[in-house]
Amino acid sequence: MKDIIIDTDPGVDDALAIMLAVKSGNFRIHAITTVAGNSTIDDTTRNARFILKLLGREDIPVYSGAKNPLKRKLDRAVVHGKDGLGGLKPLNGPGLSGDAVERISSIIERNSGKITIVALGPLTNIARMIEDYPQTIPKMKSVVMMGGAIRVPGNKSRVAEFNMYVDPEAADIVFRSPVMKTMLPLDACDVQLSLTDFEKIRDAELRSPILEMVVPYMRNLSKNEGTSKAMMYDPLTVYSLMNPSACRKRRINAVVETRGEFTRGMTVAEQRRWKEENPNVTVVEKVSARRFKADFVRILSKAQP
Ligand code: BDR
Ligand code: CA
C-alpha cells in the first residue's frame, strides 16, 4: 500500500485517475485536495466529492485549495466541458472545505517520510506548501506530477503542457525545490482509449457515468487537440506509480519557463548528451499501452465492495 494525497482539478481524466487509484486497492489515500485548473475551485471541489460519492468512498476527505494560480489569472481548460466532467452533471452542491495547503502539510507531518503527492493539476497548492511550510519539505516522500512536454509539442500552447502553462511560477518553485520529483509529460501520453475500450468496463455503477464523461470529452479533444480518442494524462500518472515495471524512466535536468513571451510554462530540459547536468527530476518517458489498457479496464470493472 502506498500512502498518497491526490492533488487534482477534476476534469474528466482526473476523475478517471481518481477512480483508478481508489479501485486499484494499491493506495492509502489520505486526502484529495483540489486546485483550480481545468475549472474553477468550486467546480473541481464539487466534482472531486461527486466522484468519491460514485465510488462509495465519501470517507476520503476532500480539502479545497487555491482559487487562482500564484500570480496569474486562471485560464481554464475547454475540453472538459462547462462543469468539468464532460456530460456528467454532479448532483451535490459546490461547498469549499478546509485548507488544502495546511492539510497537505499536516498529513505529511503526521506520516513523516511516507507520503507521495500525486499532482494532477497546476502545482499551485504544492508550491504554496513548499513556501509556507518549509519544515515539511524533508518529510515528503516525493511528488509525482502530470505535466510538461520534453520532446513533443505542448497541448496548451506550441510548447507548453496545460498544468505547467496555467501556473508556471508554481511549477518553477516545485522544480527548484529539493523534493524528489517524478513527472509524466505529454511524451508518455500516446496511450489513448477509444469508446470501444470504455465500453468494456463492467462495473454497473461506473459504466454509464464514465460514458457520459468521455463521449463529450473525446468530441472536444478532436476539436481542440487533434485526436478523436481519450487522452489519459492523469490516469497514466497514477498508473506509473502503481506499476513502475510498465514504464520506462530517465533522470533529467529540467526547468520551467516563467518569463518567455512565447514559451510560458515550457519545460526546458537539458538534452545535449555531452553536457553534465545534475538531474532534478525523473521523467516517465513511456508507458506500456497494452498493460495500461488491460489493467485500466480490469480495475474499473471490479465490483465495488
Ligand atoms: C493535463 O491538463 C488537464 O487538462 C488534464 O486534466 C491533465 O492534468 C494535461 O495537459
Ligand atoms: Ca488534471
Side-chain angles (χ1 to χ4, degrees):
M1 278 277 201
K2 292 195 169 78
D3 290 271
I4 61 170
I5 295 172
I6 303 179
D7 188 76
T8 177
D9 60 337
V12 174
D13 64 318
D14 300 76
L16 296 172
I18 294 170
M19 290 176 179
L20 179 64
V22 168
K23 292 202 75 181
S24 71
N26 286 28
F27 300 108
R28 192 173 300 114
I29 305 173
H30 290 251
I32 292 196
T33 53
T34 56
V35 64
N38 285 325
S39 202
T40 62
I41 192 66
D42 296 270
D43 284 351
T44 60
T45 306
R46 179 204 53 209
N47 293 350
R49 281 214 203 87
F50 185 62
I51 297 302
L52 290 176
K53 192 180 165 80
L54 283 178
L55 290 161
R57 289 301 307 270
E58 287 163 290
D59 57 301
I60 299 175
V62 175
Y63 304 115
S64 39
K67 198 173 171 182
N68 286 302
L70 293 182
K71 295 191 174 161
R72 303 180 190 246
K73 274 186 26 202
L74 177 64
D75 190 347
R76 49 168 294 193
V78 287
V79 295
H80 304 271
K82 183 175 151 294
D83 302 304
L85 293 181
L88 187 62
K89 297 280 168 234
L91 298 174
N92 48 336
L96 302 181
S97 54
D99 172 349
V101 175
E102 186 279 321
R103 297 315 298 169
I104 295 172
S105 165
S106 66
I107 292 168
I108 295 171
E109 290 287 342
R110 270 190 275 118
N111 298 275
S112 186
K114 285 198 196 148
I115 303 283
T116 293
I117 300 179
V118 182
L120 306 178
L123 292 163
T124 322
N125 290 339
I126 319 305
R128 282 184 46 208
M129 201 231 68
I130 289 171
E131 295 225 302
D132 296 353
Y133 299 91
Q135 74 283 5
T136 304
I137 301 175
K139 300 174 189 155
M140 293 166 73
K141 185 168 179 197
S142 70
V143 177
V144 176
M145 53 195 164
M146 192 285 131
I150 306 296
R151 292 179 175 161
V152 297
N155 58 355
K156 177 66 185 170
S157 75
R158 292 179 184 187
V159 294
E161 179 279 328
F162 179 83
N163 291 337
M164 299 288 149
Y165 180 92
V166 170
D167 199 343
E169 284 75 20
D172 180 47
I173 290 170
V174 175
F175 272 72
R176 285 178 197 276
S177 78
V179 170
M180 284 276 291
K181 295 171 277 292
T182 298
M183 69 192 281
L184 186 133
L186 296 179
D187 306 55
C189 294
D190 55 349
V191 183
Q192 299 158 7
L193 260 60
S194 66
L195 189 56
T196 317
D197 295 316
F198 288 111
E199 282 171 344
K200 290 183 190 146
I201 293 171
R202 287 281 152 254
D203 180 336
E205 311 277 328
L206 291 187
R207 192 169 186 274
S208 64
I210 289 176
L211 294 177
E212 280 175 54
M213 287 197 293
V214 299
V215 171
Y217 177 56
M218 290 191 282
R219 207 169 37 233
N220 292 336
L221 283 167
S222 75
K223 276 192 238 146
N224 295 283
E225 292 187 27
T227 169
S228 56
K229 291 194 174 177
M231 298 299 297
M232 300 298 280
Y233 310 109
D234 296 341
L236 284 164
T237 307
V238 166
Y239 187 70
S240 70
L241 196 56
M242 280 166 55
N243 197 349
S245 74
C247 304
R248 190 179 75 223
K249 297 181 186 172
R250 182 164 72 100
R251 297 276 300 154
I252 61 165
N253 182 283
V255 292
V256 181
E257 177 61 78
T258 54
R259 276 173 288 186
E261 187 181 355
F262 303 111
T263 51
R264 161 182 173 178
M266 180 179 184
T267 40
V268 183
E270 180 55 86
Q271 300 194 60
R272 295 169 296 179
R273 299 257 176 229
W274 62 94
K275 277 274 178 191
E276 289 280 323
E277 280 282 348
N278 292 334
N280 63 345
V281 60
T282 300
V283 55
V284 180
E285 293 184 308
K286 185 85 197 149
V287 179
S288 160
R290 184 183 54 77
R291 293 175 68 182
F292 172 78
K293 283 186 194 179
D295 287 341
F296 183 81
V297 172
R298 179 181 55 79
I299 291 167
L300 266 65
S301 293
K302 286 202 273 190
Q304 298 188 36

